[in-house]
Amino acid sequence: MGLENLMGEGFLTTRLESLINWCRKNSLWPMPMGISCCAIELMAVGDPRHDIARFGSEVMRFSPRQSDVMIVAGTVTYKMAKVVRKIYDQMPDPKWVISMGACASSGGMYRSYPVVQGIDLFMPVDVYVAGCPPRPENLLKALMEVQKKVQQGRMAGRREPLMIE
Amino acid sequence: MAPKRTEAISKEKILQALEDADTTFLKEDPLGTDMVLNMGPQHPATHGVLRILLRLDGETIIKAVPEIGYLHRGYEKLAENMTFHEFIPHTDRLDYLAPLSNNVAFVLAVEKLAGLEIPERAKYLRVICCELARISSHLVWLGSMAMDVGALTILLWAFREREKLYDIFDVLTGVRFTTSYTRIGGLAQDMTEQCEKMIWEFIDQFPEKLQECEALLNKNRIFIERCDGVGVISKEEAIDIGLTGPALRACGVEYDIRRADPYLIYDQLDFRVAVYDGGDSLARYYVRIQEMRESVKIVRQALEKIPKGPIKAAEPKQVLPDKERVYTKMEELIHDFMVVNFGINPPIGEIYRAIESPKGELGFYIISDGSGNPWRLKIRSPSMVNIQALPILLKGQMISDVVAIIGSLDPVMGEADK
Amino acid sequence: MDEMKEKVLEKLNEHFKHSILSTSEFRGELTVVIKKEDIVRVCEFLKVDEELHFDLLEDLTGVDMFTPSDRFQVVYHLYSLKNKYRLRLKVHVDERDLRAPTVSGVWSTANWHEREAYDMFGIIFEGHPDLRRLYMPEEFEYYPLRKDFPLMGIPGSLLLPKK
């Protein structure tokens, strides 16, 4: 993680770290893992009414190598879990994960044989968003919570997830 | 003799080194001229989690094998464990671009099984819901297909119109999106004056907004080159492979369930069925644009003719009563308790009922054993059968056409994988 | 509709009298139960005949009736575009002999429907060009829609990646 290793502790470096975190939080590029119905609300977050571009997430990068935050939107089945984990591993650090909707957070209304009851069984999660599907304003609030986390410099390994109602 | 044998063995060893738990190869000359490309489940343009394996010769596709099942949620098993009313929210998530359409389809099937007759006002309202859902689904199709082919503006314009529809659904049903609006025997709540005004405003300004989008695409040289003659399927092949909906009507077959097997009040309304010849992506585009215009006409007629009256059938043993009466009267409380806990108990038998959803023919096959849960519920999903036609459509095309063809076919994985 | 029903029954009785096990009707829909071995010839006849012309196979499913004999059924929904008439055919499959002939030679849409019936019930369709699982991953060993398979699945049958 290049920028962190450049310098040690001290007043100037904490100022610099703040500056870097501010830059990072205002240009979070999401990687939309849009699997089912929540993906449509994810597309609606990008439309002219609830503009996600004003939060700095100008482009929805579909390539994991060029994105910061992964938004898992939809029901994850056992067949798809391998693929989601692979894409998560391909993202470079620092990275954050938003689990959007009831199905991704806990299996949702599908208590059945092929559905994974929550993506936190196989990958770390930063923010959970409730709703089936959550309104776009909810997702924007989740993005703002991730921005708060980025500003405080917390990321992989030292994360406590937050719940958005 | 000896050099040929070592060459074969070294090819074999390279292949074995490349294989792992996730990858397999076609063993017929893969390091020679053919290449296997995986358009994986996570891809910006495959409209959901669809995986296609392409065998390529340069840029031309020789064979394509689609793989589905990445969103299989076990609907049919879930349906056997819950009552008919409890399954209505699950039908929303089938074709999640037009949830009202699926609600109507399921409730029509259950009412045919139980032998219920619904009041006139409910029929007109259901028709309005179906047609608004058709417009909203086709708007997403228009935005995605144009985006896949390269015209990004249309996506934002289509979603702007869709937000207006979301506002209408918000006032009518209470939710933007996954509505669960219909109930067995009628609807959940009535349409208010404000909602009616909003629908009139929407359909008054929609045709000219559609005209704006068409003006960008219809005479556009790039769009026409990318869609004309791409992904052609003939009439006999289309019927044989089970294609239904706009893709079949683009081959010249006039099969629309609203005309062939009318449900609700479609036999009293005046509209044209859009049929084009050609069987390629451009014909499918024209069919859907025409369908949107016809939907506006249908909604206008329905709003003019809608009668006043109740919206739920008067069958206490099978229809959920109104909430105000449940809280104040004893009879309704008992009926509510029985219907919610034990189900509607239709007679023993089996039926099949299909409607014309925006994607094709959506059918429900229900076997009932007399209890509140269905014994077997099968969903005939149009997207699964339409994806089966992909190998025929993709044969001989270039890689960059794959996106245009999938876009013109418009599959929805929530429906295809059940 | 009634005249179509009479015509269908008359032609089936004329050519396939010994293949028909029973017929029934419910809510205006005709169901005909056919012997398992003759289903392909019946389907070919229904598709090719000039008057009946059932050219669209709408749906093909399996059903688990959970009876001691003839446990499974395969149900075919046929539709005729010309006559606008729908017909249902059924075939009984016993648990001890879980095979049925394939109709993917008659209508190519039956290909994926039969794969789904195999995936969910375990019914093997003889002569099918490509019989593998459709929805569940290949290494899954059970058949989910049978009545003795629990709704939440069997723990350990599907694997998750490590955290």
Side-chain angles (χ1 to χ4, degrees):
Chain A
M1 295 155 263
L3 292 166
E4 273 83 350
N5 288 342
L6 266 183
M7 40 216 110
E9 300 292 327
F11 171 76
L12 220 60
T13 54
T14 43
R15 289 282 111 206
L16 197 57
E17 204 178 313
S18 259
L19 177 68
I20 293 173
N21 282 340
W22 177 84
C23 291
R24 268 194 189 137
K25 88 168 186 193
N26 281 325
S27 70
L28 279 172
W29 284 2
M31 211 233 75
M33 177 61 78
I35 305 177
S36 70
C37 352
C38 284
I40 308 297
E41 287 293 39
L42 194 59
M43 287 159 82
V45 159
D47 74 12
R49 184 184 277 191
H50 322 94
D51 200 7
I52 201 174
R54 58 192 161 138
F55 288 88
S57 308
E58 178 63 42
V59 276
M60 294 268 179
R61 279 290 175 216
F62 281 93
S63 163
R65 309 269 181 208
Q66 299 168 4
S67 53
D68 302 305
V69 62
M70 177 174 183
I71 306 181
V72 182
T75 322
V76 180
T77 58
Y78 281 91
K79 204 168 171 183
M80 191 66 193
K82 260 187 346 199
V83 177
V84 177
R85 179 75 212 193
K86 208 168 181 181
I87 305 271
Y88 174 74
D89 288 334
Q90 285 177 348
M91 280 167 71
D93 272 338
K95 56 191 172 185
W96 295 268
V97 176
I98 297 180
S99 156
M100 176 181 178
C103 293
S105 310
S106 69
M109 58 200 291
Y110 300 104
R111 196 151 168 75
S112 61
Y113 55 94
V115 175
V116 180
Q117 307 288 308
I119 61 170
D120 49 7
L121 291 176
F122 63 90
M123 55 195 270
V125 176
D126 282 297
V127 180
Y128 297 91
V129 190
C132 192
R135 287 187 76 108
E137 293 94 0
N138 244 348
L139 186 61
L140 291 175
K141 174 98 164 99
L143 196 67
M144 285 162 64
E145 291 290 333
V146 171
Q147 284 182 338
K148 262 195 232 161
K149 272 196 159 177
V150 176
Q151 184 63 52
Q152 289 158 3
R154 285 188 282 171
M155 46 156 279
R158 287 172 289 144
R159 51 181 63 195
E160 298 98 51
L162 294 161
M163 180 76 177
I164 308 283
E165 287 300 317
Chain B
M1 280 304 144
K4 262 196 198 158
R5 216 169 60 103
T6 48
E7 201 177 275
I9 293 180
S10 75
K11 266 193 195 169
E12 191 64 29
K13 286 211 188 308
I14 291 182
L15 289 182
Q16 273 174 6
L18 273 175
E19 269 191 16
D20 62 9
D22 301 331
T23 333
T24 52
F25 285 110
L26 298 170
K27 296 268 189 204
E28 355 162 343
D29 186 29
L31 282 183
T33 55
D34 297 347
M35 179 172 95
V36 174
L37 182 68
N38 173 38
M39 259 182 93
Q42 191 269 334
H43 190 278
T46 53
H47 292 257
V49 283
L50 170 66
R51 178 183 190 201
I52 312 184
L53 286 132
L54 302 163
R55 188 163 137 216
L56 304 165
D57 172 23
E59 278 238 354
T60 330
I61 299 174
I62 304 179
K63 195 171 171 186
V65 174
E67 185 181 335
I68 63 177
Y70 288 92
L71 197 53
H72 177 63
R73 297 180 267 200
Y75 271 110
E76 303 181 346
K77 188 95 189 165
L78 276 171
E80 293 172 10
N81 288 296
M82 52 177 67
T83 64
F84 289 98
H85 269 109
E86 290 175 358
F87 193 65
I88 295 179
H90 279 96
T91 58
D92 278 331
R93 278 99 177 147
L94 272 179
D95 171 7
Y96 40 79
L97 296 175
L100 283 165
S101 200
N102 310 356
N103 286 345
V104 170
F106 176 66
V107 176
L108 276 177
V110 177
E111 283 165 3
K112 182 174 177 181
L113 180 64
L116 280 175
E117 272 296 319
I118 59 171
E120 284 294 310
R121 188 174 167 89
K123 286 188 189 167
Y124 277 87
L125 271 177
R126 280 185 186 175
V127 165
I128 295 176
C129 289
C130 271
E131 296 306 316
L132 287 178
R134 193 183 310 270
I135 296 179
S136 83
S137 169
H138 284 333
L139 278 171
V140 176
W141 158 78
L142 181 63
S144 322
M145 179 169 171
M147 182 175 79
D148 291 340
V149 172
L152 289 161
T153 324
I154 311 281
L155 177 73
L156 291 169
W157 287 358
F159 267 84
R160 182 193 62 194
E161 295 307 307
R162 212 173 128 88
E163 285 288 332
K164 295 177 191 160
L165 273 171
Y166 278 163
D167 284 338
I168 293 178
F169 293 151
D170 229 342
V171 177
L172 183 64
T173 69
V175 196
R176 268 163 71 98
F177 194 19
T178 47
T179 49
S180 312
Y181 180 50
T182 55
R183 299 282 181 269
I184 298 176
L187 298 165
Q189 63 235 16
D190 207 345
M191 176 173 79
T192 57
E193 290 279 327
Q194 179 200 11
C195 182
E196 203 170 329
K197 206 164 67 104
M198 283 169 83
I199 302 183
W200 273 114
E201 272 171 22
F202 176 75
I203 58 175
D204 279 335
Q205 51 96 56
F206 184 66
E208 57 180 79
K209 295 288 189 301
L210 193 58
Q211 186 60 35
E212 275 175 19
C213 293
E214 273 197 271
L216 275 186
L217 288 176
N218 273 8
K219 298 233 167 62
N220 189 330
R221 173 90 184 268
I222 302 181
F223 185 74
I224 302 221
E225 294 267 320
R226 277 207 79 171
C227 292
D228 193 17
V230 160
V232 184
I233 187 167
S234 72
K235 198 163 147 176
E236 293 77 25
E237 273 181 330
I239 301 180
D240 202 34
I241 200 81
L243 214 53
T244 47
L248 183 65
R249 289 197 281 278
C251 298
V253 179
E254 191 178 337
Y255 175 48
D256 187 333
I257 302 186
R258 297 177 287 177
R259 277 278 146 78
D261 188 10
Y263 50 98
L264 297 172
I265 45 141
Y266 278 108
D267 40 3
Q268 301 164 21
L269 293 173
D270 167 43
F271 63 99
R272 270 181 47 217
V273 171
V275 177
Y276 279 85
D277 254 325
D280 60 354
S281 300
L282 199 60
R284 293 189 273 270
Y285 162 78
Y286 283 133
V287 166
R288 288 197 177 98
I289 298 277
Q290 184 67 26
E291 271 188 7
M292 278 201 263
R293 292 192 197 279
E294 298 296 325
S295 287
V296 170
K297 253 178 23 188
I298 295 177
V299 173
R300 192 166 277 145
Q301 287 173 48
L303 273 180
E304 280 164 2
K305 291 188 186 169
I306 187 168
K308 298 235 179 290
I311 50 156
K312 273 193 185 154
E315 182 77 35
K317 295 263 183 310
Q318 290 178 325
V319 176
L320 283 173
D322 286 332
K323 277 295 177 198
E324 302 91 45
R325 299 182 73 86
V326 169
Y327 290 142
T328 49
K329 301 257 192 290
M330 194 61 191
E331 278 281 317
E332 272 76 9
L333 178 66
I334 299 174
H335 287 139
D336 190 72
F337 177 77
M338 297 297 285
V339 172
V340 168
N341 281 329
F342 299 113
I344 64 172
N345 295 55
I348 299 182
E350 55 196 356
I351 52 104
Y352 177 80
R353 190 70 180 100
I355 70 153
E356 182 75 25
S357 86
K359 307 288 184 290
E361 173 184 338
L362 173 66
F364 282 90
Y365 171 56
I366 310 183
I367 301 183
S368 149
D369 62 344
S371 76
N373 303 0
W375 180 260
R376 170 93 170 100
L377 182 125
K378 165 77 164 61
I379 306 167
R380 192 261 180 210
S381 68
S383 295
M384 183 185 108
V385 187
N386 289 357
I387 293 178
Q388 201 184 351
L390 265 182
I392 302 180
L393 289 170
L394 287 179
K395 199 176 171 109
Q397 307 289 331
M398 307 255 189
I399 298 188
S400 27
D401 292 330
V402 175
V403 207
I405 293 174
I406 300 181
S408 74
L409 205 57
D410 198 18
V412 169
M413 296 322 286
E415 201 176 43
D417 286 341
K418 299 201 268 281
Chain C
M1 285 302 121
D2 282 333
E3 40 172 277
M4 258 320 285
K5 182 182 125 189
E6 298 303 323
K7 234 192 279 183
V8 168
L9 283 174
E10 182 194 313
K11 291 219 165 174
L12 280 179
N13 274 325
E14 191 186 315
H15 295 267
F16 296 102
K17 201 163 170 58
H18 302 285
S19 312
I20 302 184
L21 289 176
S22 68
T23 64
S24 61
E25 194 178 344
F26 181 68
R27 302 260 189 255
E29 294 176 7
L30 178 65
T31 307
V32 182
V33 183
I34 309 267
K35 269 198 209 146
K36 188 163 86 170
E37 299 80 25
D38 301 329
I39 185 71
V40 185
R41 288 188 308 130
V42 173
C43 286
E44 270 169 10
F45 169 71
L46 286 172
K47 178 175 179 183
V48 162
D49 182 76
E50 276 309 314
E51 258 186 59
L52 297 180
H53 207 55
F54 282 102
D55 46 359
L56 185 63
L57 175 70
E58 284 184 327
D59 197 14
L60 200 170
T61 82
V63 184
D64 179 359
M65 299 306 281
F66 214 48
T67 48
S69 76
D70 276 345
R71 180 175 171 183
F72 296 103
Q73 288 177 353
V74 180
V75 183
Y76 304 80
H77 286 94
L78 309 178
Y79 186 75
S80 159
L81 286 169
K82 197 173 90 172
N83 302 317
K84 303 199 171 127
Y85 186 69
R86 203 169 265 139
L87 176 67
R88 183 182 300 132
L89 297 176
K90 272 200 198 188
V91 160
H92 288 293
V93 175
D94 194 67
E95 191 174 356
R96 292 161 288 237
D97 178 28
L98 263 183
R99 290 168 302 145
T102 181
V103 293
S104 48
V106 186
W107 298 282
S108 38
T109 181
N111 198 318
W112 276 24
H113 288 293
E114 288 179 350
R115 275 177 68 188
E116 187 197 341
Y118 165 65
D119 189 9
M120 295 282 124
F121 291 99
I123 304 175
I124 298 184
F125 289 90
E126 299 171 318
H128 194 273
D130 181 26
L131 196 67
R132 42 194 174 100
R133 282 186 179 266
L134 190 67
Y135 290 141
M136 303 306 293
E138 275 301 324
E139 57 266 11
F140 194 64
E141 288 147 11
Y142 306 95
Y143 299 109
L145 269 177
R146 290 190 179 185
K147 291 285 175 180
D148 46 359
F149 184 80
L151 176 61
M152 276 303 288
I154 298 186
S157 55
L158 287 163
L159 298 172
L160 269 184
K162 295 247 183 312
K163 188 157 180 167

